[in-house]
Amino acid sequence: MRLSLLSAHPINSYNDYHYIQVCFMKILRTPDSRFENLADYPFAPNYTVIKTHDNSDLRIHHLDEGPADGPIVLCMHGQPVWSYLYRKMIPYLTAAGMRVIAPDLPGYGKSDKPAAREDYSYERQVEWMGKWLEQNDFTDITFFGQDWGGLIGLRLVVNHGHRFARVVVANTGLPYNPDVADSVVKEIENFRAKAPTPTLLQMQKAISKMEGNQANMFAYWQKFCWESEDLPIGFMMSMTMEQPSNVVRAVKFLLHSAGMASPFPTEIAKAYEAPFPDPSFKMGPRAMPSHVPTLPTSPSLEQQRLAWEFFEQFDKPFLCTFADNDPVTAGIEKQFFARVPGTKGLPHDTIKKGGHFVQENAPEQVSRAIINLIHST
């Protein structure tokens, strides 16, 4: 409870007191000990406290590396990862004189974690990160975003355009789908409401077939995350990023299917599981896929329409660095080429064998594209 609010709202009964108590979000904070001795993550933490819609204090973490007077590169991660994802890119960027700012979205990494799935939405993440951006007063920013980092970060560019000088995106989009057929909408909504929870293997199979059938296949990821109480984040990131041999993969999946954790988790598995001491901390990663506005029923539909109106007039440099082997976002960059004037005449590098998480698989390629853009513009 905050005394300032109590004085503004006198308590006349127990019911009044109870109401004031429950109006605040429950917010969890991962103990610092969870982040000790992580491989290749020597960076000092920085914290900003913002006020949420209900006047709760929400602490947001970010990295701040490189020369204080260097060009700012704002690197935003997606779901279900955190700023650990940028540990391989930071040395390349700082060696080139860049100042790297890499925040953890609320619900992820070292940032605070609202405890209910209902606390999370696209619009709240945009609002929270916008307050964080304004409070830190970063300007002349080169933005880089991938996955949800792109969805949220591009909306920050819309809402705080005077702060951004350039945009670089990888394996992300600005989804706006007002014309999906009613039959498809009903099929997807029925699947998400009534179908059994997909297994990890069923979900992965669906994701691998996303190209050309994105909303239907993506619904498997949405449902799997929403309904998995203990989302196996460390395990999934290890399988995705480290690409073990078929034998090792089979053994690990067998253990996972039997409800057993690997007795020897890799450094990547440990790092991506570190923010979550128990399943109650995982509400952000569980909730966010369901808020990707893939359907015309999305509550963010109007905001996305306005965002596209903004980018159709955006003539600052806008570079795409999409991987050649990511089934989740294959071909999405064509929307930017067709609609954003700032894409014209730039060397849109295809990231070779970058996978979905290009920051892990091809950090030098992506960093070089950002550095070259800043030097050339």
Side-chain angles (χ1 to χ4, degrees), residues 110-123:
K110 294 185 177 183
S111 290
D112 282 351
K113 298 166 181 67
R117 285 183 303 180
E118 293 73 24
D119 292 333
Y120 296 89
S121 71
Y122 192 172
E123 299 312 313

Side-chain angles (χ1 to χ4, degrees), residues 266-283:
T266 67
E267 293 298 331
I268 280 183
K270 288 188 287 187
Y272 285 114
E273 196 67 34
F276 312 108
D278 64 60
S280 68
F281 286 72
K282 294 183 176 181
M283 296 307 182

Side-chain angles (χ1 to χ4, degrees), residues 87-162:
R87 73 198 182 283
K88 295 181 179 179
M89 288 179 58
I90 288 172
Y92 291 112
L93 293 170
T94 56
M98 310 300 164
R99 179 185 176 189
V100 181
I101 307 295
D104 292 333
L105 296 173
Y108 300 79
K110 294 185 177 183
S111 290
D112 282 351
K113 298 166 181 67
R117 285 183 303 180
E118 293 73 24
D119 292 333
Y120 296 89
S121 71
Y122 192 172
E123 299 312 313
R124 280 194 181 169
Q125 289 281 13
V126 171
E127 176 188 354
W128 293 335
M129 294 309 298
K131 289 183 176 181
W132 168 85
L133 180 65
E134 291 287 343
Q135 200 158 316
N136 283 283
D137 197 28
F138 297 128
T139 57
D140 197 27
I141 299 166
T142 298
F143 168 69
F144 176 79
Q146 177 263 341
D147 193 87
W148 261 108
L151 272 72
I152 295 167
L154 288 173
R155 291 281 303 279
L156 294 186
V157 176
V158 173
N159 295 345
H160 310 272
H162 63 288

